[in-house]
Amino acid sequence: MTDTRHAVPERSREELLRLRRAHLNPTLSVAYREPLKIVRGEGVWLYDAQGQGYLDMVNNVCHVGHCHPRVVRAGAEQMARLNTNTRYLHDALVEYALRLTATLPAPLSVVFLTNSGTEANDLALRLARAHTGARGTIVVDHAYHGHSPSMVELSPYKFNGRGGEGQADHVAVVPMPDAYRGAVRDAADAGPRYGRMLAGAIDELRARGHRPAAFYCESLLGCGGQVILPDGYLRQAFAQVRAAGGLCLSDEVQVGFGRVGDAMWAFEQQGVVPDILTLGKPIGNGHPMGAVVTTPEVATSFVTGMEYFNTFGGNPVSCAIGLAVLDVIEEENLMDNAVRVGEFLTAGLREIQARHPGIGDVRGRGLFIGAEFVSDAAARSPDPARARVVVEAMKARHVLLSTDGPDDNVLKIKPPIVFSRANAEEFLEKLDGVLGALPVG
């Protein structure tokens, strides 16, 4: 007989909103004008309390699909057997480090496991400072690297946003390498030209008395508006930073684990190898997990006598789940799926763009895609109002999307990478219908 004395009661949407306002973090937001009460997930679908399914086009956390049976089983079986910390020997911890580093180019071979992408980026900053003896950090405009105090300082998305305290003395900001609306547009050499802009940031830090410890850069820019780095950007930027004595960090908290399709890691598409790689979100398919991977030289610099110990980082349950995610990516050929479906989806969006002038640019790699709305195609003036209308109209048609970018005018598309061609066809048909029903201009 089931004991229901402490069962979670079912509450209405209105009651949930009231209780959230009264008892939860007051800065916590909800999605959409009429918030959804989601109670179940499966694959690329989320289901509300009435059983209505919504095609999830924006959840890059449940990387291999919501509630993937293999991942769920791996976590449940390990949790039923043992969960403890890394001061005990355990096969899963070592096996995960071996399996993860086998996907990476040399010399990225030393793993630190954490509980989130924020923790990973925060730890990476400590590694960079220990190795270089410097504090200065270079970041890309509108970047977001986490919510800890140190990471808010490295996130223009936060420190230059509402409630932000502005740029810290030890931080320099370089322009987004946006070849569509940035300072360098439609140029074959946009990547190197943007990369050379780091020289000014290095000089700026030196003028304030700081040497560069690290350059933080997402391998594809998420909060920046689904921006694809122009060819040659990281090669030039990394060269500038290393010549000044700093380390180069690739933040793949959003875009790693095969999302780009033709590579496991998006930095590989730039032909570079970072000194430090940070991971999160898709690593555990919704389970709280993150990682830092670095070189033996950088890791050795961190050995100062102070132990780095993380109570939950690298626990057996997390490692079992992480291994299951790697298994599913490989055995279900999800990188190939990301290539094929991503190409179909991008081509379909460009066909829609040709019929609807409100879409100024379509860009993407694999299943990381952006569609930028503009009010004037020639001037490339952002149109956030139209983007918001599209998101709400698609939600009414049971497709979940969101927007990003400095002007909040970019439709961000990053579904679980089990997203199929049939799912893409449904999305494209509904988007075409929504745009066709909107007034021109």
Side-chain angles (χ1 to χ4, degrees):
M1 185 174 178
T2 303
D3 185 351
T4 59
R5 286 174 297 176
H6 298 290
V8 177
E10 292 187 13
R11 297 182 171 94
S12 68
R13 183 176 63 185
E14 292 70 25
E15 180 72 355
L16 289 171
L17 286 169
R18 184 187 70 79
L19 291 170
R20 281 168 66 107
R21 286 192 293 267
H23 298 291
L24 294 182
N25 162 17
T27 70
L28 191 63
S29 65
V30 292
Y32 308 109
R33 283 198 302 264
E34 294 186 1
L36 291 168
K37 181 181 178 181
I38 296 297
V39 299
R40 185 169 69 87
E42 182 178 355
V44 297
W45 296 94
L46 291 173
Y47 295 88
D48 68 14
Q50 287 71 47
Q52 174 62 59
Y54 290 82
L55 187 60
D56 187 356
M57 298 283 295
V58 76
N59 196 319
N60 62 325
V61 178
C62 291
H63 191 59
V64 299
H66 293 280
C67 303
H68 192 289
R70 181 158 182 175
V71 178
V72 172
R73 184 169 62 250
E77 289 178 353
Q78 184 57 54
M79 188 177 290
R81 189 179 305 118
L82 172 73
N83 200 22
T84 186
N85 63 60
T86 53
R87 287 200 172 109
Y88 298 100
L89 300 180
H90 197 277
D91 290 319
L93 173 61
V94 172
E95 182 64 17
Y96 188 71
L98 290 171
R99 288 279 304 281
L100 181 64
T101 55
T103 70
L104 289 161
L108 294 172
S109 59
V110 182
V111 179
F112 297 74
L113 291 173
T114 67
N115 304 302
S116 69
T118 292
E119 269 197 6
N121 277 328
D122 188 86
L123 175 59
L125 183 62
R126 291 178 60 191
L127 290 168
R129 287 175 173 174
H131 186 74
T132 62
R135 285 186 55 82
T137 310
I138 303 165
V139 296
V140 177
D141 200 10
H142 214 70
Y144 174 62
H145 295 291
H147 57 75
S148 68
S150 71
M151 288 302 104
V152 170
E153 288 184 345
L154 301 192
S155 300
Y157 176 75
K158 291 293 186 182
F159 69 65
N160 282 334
R162 288 181 295 178
E165 297 182 353
Q167 187 173 329
D169 182 72
H170 63 279
V171 175
V173 179
V174 293
M176 285 198 302
D178 180 357
Y180 177 65
R181 286 185 56 223
V184 181
R185 303 182 179 185
D186 306 321
D189 62 346
R193 288 170 66 182
Y194 276 115
R196 286 192 287 272
M197 292 179 185
L198 272 80
I202 293 166
D203 289 343
E204 180 185 332
L205 286 173
R206 285 174 173 158
R208 297 192 211 129
H210 294 291
R211 292 183 293 111
F215 168 50
Y216 272 60
C217 186
E218 297 168 275
S219 300
L220 301 170
L221 308 187
C223 290
Q226 305 294 100
V227 173
I228 309 303
L229 303 182
D231 290 344
Y233 175 68
L234 287 185
R235 186 180 296 277
Q236 181 65 48
F238 281 16
Q240 302 266 343
V241 173
R242 285 168 173 158
L247 298 182
C248 300
L249 180 144
S250 289
D251 178 337
E252 300 226 358
V253 169
Q254 291 208 54
V255 300
F257 291 91
R259 175 165 292 279
V260 294
D262 61 1
M264 187 69 162
W265 311 105
F267 69 76
E268 295 178 279
Q269 296 182 323
Q270 288 274 313
V272 297
V273 178
D275 303 298
I276 305 174
L277 172 68
T278 57
L279 309 172
K281 295 185 189 295
I283 190 172
N285 207 53
H287 177 81
M289 188 177 180
V292 178
V293 189
T294 190
T295 68
E297 291 75 18
V298 173
T300 299
S301 298
F302 198 56
V303 181
T304 62
M306 178 188 292
E307 181 186 18
Y308 173 75
F309 173 70
N310 186 318
T311 301
F312 298 108
N315 70 78
V317 172
S318 294
C319 291
I321 288 171
L323 285 166
V325 170
L326 292 176
D327 288 341
V328 172
I329 293 170
E330 179 182 359
E331 293 170 16
E332 295 187 11
N333 297 314
L334 294 184
M335 290 174 62
D336 180 61
N337 184 71
V339 169
R340 290 184 293 102
V341 178
E343 288 176 349
F344 175 80
L345 193 49
T346 303
L349 280 166
R350 287 180 176 143
E351 289 178 8
I352 291 173
Q353 177 189 17
R355 296 192 298 276
H356 301 286
I359 299 179
D361 189 43
V362 172
R363 51 188 179 255
R365 293 284 170 83
L367 284 171
F368 181 92
I369 300 168
E372 183 152 1
F373 285 88
V374 295
S375 56
D376 183 317
R380 303 183 181 182
S381 309
D383 193 349
R386 181 168 290 251
R388 287 193 297 270
V389 167
V390 169
V391 167
E392 292 290 346
M394 289 295 283
K395 181 242 187 181
R397 289 161 176 77
H398 309 126
V399 177
L400 302 182
L401 293 161
S402 187
T403 58
D404 235 326
D407 297 293
D408 213 30
N409 67 315
V410 181
L411 205 64
K412 60 179 178 182
I413 299 167
K414 43 188 179 182
I417 63 170
V418 292
F419 199 76
S420 70
R421 179 168 173 144
N423 299 144
E425 288 171 347
E426 177 178 348
F427 161 71
L428 291 168
E429 180 181 356
K430 289 181 176 179
L431 180 64
D432 196 30
V434 163
L435 292 173
L438 293 179
V440 176

